[in-house]
């Protein structure tokens, strides 16, 4: 039950939280609390970030775009950041927004936009997307906020791929997957992507799909596993939600974690 607004206190700009600390609100948060929600002195909010966990705090004062809260007590301890990284080809504006929002809700720890041959949008507004990730984290009750990197060509992303991590590539046509290690995600026992581990990646292509050369490039990398998300051709944003759910299910089963 959501009983008070949750606000992300960016650790880069905030000293560590502790009992009785006074925290300066950002102009955006002060406006939201004071003008939109009409809250005032004495009302309670929750402040969170991955470093400090989550804390209840009481509003001391709010005036237009300025305000302070006083930290009262910790309600959740800090947690290690876990989850997959998502590689995606930037889409039209609304679809990219959806990818960031759904990806944050589904536990993505970092977004890595990739430029492919058929990517139709080569620029992303990093600050706007970071704001969407913050709002989604506030709403879905996670403690950390995933970062959104600048776009990089696919070949450079692959060259920088970290050792020991797997990359699951969503490939919609059987011919793209044929002859390599591949997974019929969701068709295996128990559902989910078998073997998905914390820090592994999911790559979803642009609306136009991957070119034949890109498929060959991907299949030549030993850390790549091509996966099917089922018999239907999904829109890229739908494929992101589907692939992340299946990765999460596989990871939770492998680690014996609960469903939170
Ligand atoms: N234009 C492509 C075609 O007709 O073959 C379809 C591309 S699809 C709209 C966009 C991306 O979503 C694909 O590059 C792939 O990564 C992913 N995708 C969609 N459906 C999928 C499926 N059934 N299995 C795996 N990946 C899928």
């Amino acid at each position: 039950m959501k009983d008070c607004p949750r606000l992300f206190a960016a650790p880069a700009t905030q000293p560590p939280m502790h009992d009785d600390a006074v925290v300066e609100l950002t102009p955006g948060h002060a406006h939201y609390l004071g003008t939109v929600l009409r809250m005032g002195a004495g009302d309670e909010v929750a402040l969170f970030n991955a470093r400090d966990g989550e804390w209840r705090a009481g509003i001391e004062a709010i005036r237009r775009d300025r305000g302070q809260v006083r930290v009262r007590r910790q309600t959740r301890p800090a947690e290690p950041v876990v989850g997959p990284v998502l590689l995606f080809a930037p889409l039209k504006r609304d679809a990219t927004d959806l990818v960031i929002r759904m990806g944050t809700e589904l536990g993505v720890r970092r977004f890595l936009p990739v430029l492919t041959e058929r990517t139709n949008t080569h620029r992303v507004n990093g600050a706007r997307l970071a704001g969407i990730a913050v709002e989604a984290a506030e709403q879905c009750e996670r403690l950390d906020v995933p970062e959104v990197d600048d776009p990089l060509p696919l070949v450079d992303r692959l060259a920088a791929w970290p050792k020991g991590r797997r990359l699951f590539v969503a490939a919609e046509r059987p011919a793209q997957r044929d002859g390599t290690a591949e997974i019929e995600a969701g068709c295996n026992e128990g559902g989910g992507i078998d073997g998905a581990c914390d820090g592994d990646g999911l790559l979803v292509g642009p609306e136009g799909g991957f070119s034949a050369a890109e498929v060959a490039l991907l299949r030549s990398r030993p850390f790549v596993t091509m996966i099917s998300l089922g018999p239907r051709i999904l829109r890229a944003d739908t494929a992101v939600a589907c692939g992340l759910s299946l990765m999460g299910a596989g990871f939770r089963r492998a680690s014996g974690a609960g469903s939170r």
Side-chain angles (χ1 to χ4, degrees):
M1 187 180 65
K2 187 176 176 180
D3 53 359
C4 68
R6 290 183 87 236
L7 306 176
F8 174 58
T13 58
Q14 296 283 352
M17 278 185 263
H18 56 83
D19 289 344
D20 226 29
V22 173
V23 174
E24 201 66 36
L25 293 170
T26 64
H29 283 153
H31 172 79
Y32 174 63
L33 296 177
T35 308
V36 179
L37 299 184
R38 302 199 169 278
M39 294 175 79
D43 288 335
E44 204 165 58
V45 299
L47 301 179
F48 71 93
N49 63 47
R51 180 194 62 196
D52 302 316
E54 186 163 314
W55 296 69
R56 287 301 167 101
I59 297 175
E60 296 266 290
I62 296 192
R63 220 172 334 107
R64 291 195 181 169
D65 60 354
R66 297 186 57 183
Q68 300 82 33
V69 298
R70 187 177 292 275
V71 174
R72 290 179 177 158
R73 65 187 188 284
Q74 192 180 41
T75 49
R76 274 172 74 184
E79 291 166 4
V81 176
V82 294
V85 298
L86 178 69
L87 289 75
F88 70 102
L91 305 163
K92 288 184 188 146
R93 181 176 150 139
D94 288 355
T96 298
D97 291 357
L98 203 53
V99 164
I100 302 298
R101 184 171 65 69
M102 293 189 303
T104 303
E105 292 172 11
L106 291 167
V108 169
R109 61 153 69 185
R110 194 175 195 108
F111 292 95
L112 304 176
V114 289
L115 302 176
T116 65
E117 282 180 36
R118 297 178 188 154
T119 303
N120 46 18
T121 311
H122 283 238
R123 274 185 297 178
V124 298
N125 182 337
R128 222 177 122 264
L129 297 183
I132 292 171
V134 167
E135 276 176 24
E138 288 175 344
Q139 178 270 320
C140 75
E141 303 196 2
R142 66 187 275 181
L143 287 179
D144 65 305
V145 174
E147 287 180 26
V148 185
D149 280 25
D150 290 332
L152 268 189
L154 176 62
V155 66
D156 295 340
R157 284 271 177 244
L158 296 179
W161 192 249
K163 238 181 148 180
R165 300 279 185 233
R166 292 174 74 183
L167 177 60
F168 297 95
V169 178
E172 66 280 10
R173 307 271 171 200
Q176 296 173 323
R177 306 187 299 266
D178 190 36
T180 55
E182 64 178 85
I183 291 179
E184 286 287 324
C187 300
N188 51 330
E189 201 182 328
I193 296 175
D194 268 339
C197 291
D198 177 39
D200 285 347
L202 171 71
L203 167 61
V204 172
E207 285 303 340
F210 296 112
S211 70
E214 287 168 340
V215 170
L217 174 73
L218 288 162
R219 283 168 49 157
S220 72
R221 297 297 190 270
F223 49 83
V224 162
T225 301
M226 309 301 270
I227 61 168
S228 164
L229 299 174
R232 286 172 289 279
I233 306 297
L234 308 175
R235 271 178 36 163
D237 47 1
T238 312
V240 164
C242 177
L244 288 173
S245 306
L246 292 166
M247 269 187 96
F251 171 54
R252 282 193 295 274
R253 202 175 55 252
S255 64
S259 59
R260 184 176 159 78

